[in-house]
Amino acid sequence: MSGKKWQCAICGGEVVEGQRFTFIPGKGAVHVECLNAYALGKAKDKVKTAALLDANEVLLYAITRLKEAAKLLEGEAKEAVDEARKAVEKSAGKLANILAKEIEE
């Protein structure tokens, strides 16, 4: 696995592009598993936080799959998949902001 690398803001371990991870504003890159445990541990409303984390996982999974699909495509098909990925990344960013607020409240 090659690509960009970061340090998980929660566990301190390596985060590698291709893994399921997200960026939390004010914290940086975090593994999905670390985020889930951390967020649920801090959550005042565990049901709301669990729902946000579930939605987040769906988006992050989609991003990973779309990146892999784009590697196999070219031309118009690749452009369409890349466009879809960027739209999902935008939604994932919005959700990360909401999760960050939930964690900090």
Side-chain angles (χ1 to χ4, degrees):
M1 195 179 298
S2 63
K4 297 177 183 176
K5 296 179 183 180
W6 301 269
Q7 184 176 6
C8 178
I10 296 172
C11 77
E14 186 174 74
V15 176
V16 180
E17 190 171 31
Q19 292 179 321
R20 290 180 316 128
F21 70 96
T22 191
F23 287 96
I24 296 298
K27 295 196 179 304
V30 295
H31 297 111
V32 170
E33 296 78 9
C34 294
L35 174 63
N36 291 353
Y38 180 79
L40 286 172
K42 291 196 74 164
K44 290 181 181 164
D45 183 342
K46 293 197 184 306
V47 173
K48 179 180 179 181
T49 301
L52 288 168
L53 290 169
D54 188 47
N56 185 55
E57 282 210 55
V58 169
L59 295 176
L60 298 177
Y61 181 74
I63 291 167
T64 302
R65 295 301 304 263
L66 289 166
K67 282 183 178 183
E68 290 301 313
K71 289 178 185 177
L72 303 174
L73 300 170
E74 57 187 46
E76 185 179 353
K78 180 180 182 355
E79 289 174 16
V81 169
D82 283 337
E83 184 178 311
R85 177 189 47 81
K86 289 175 185 175
V88 174
E89 286 175 341
K90 185 176 179 179
S91 294
K94 288 179 183 178
L95 193 54
N97 287 333
I98 294 167
L99 274 166
K101 289 176 188 172
E102 287 295 313
I103 293 168
E104 297 307 318
E105 288 181 353

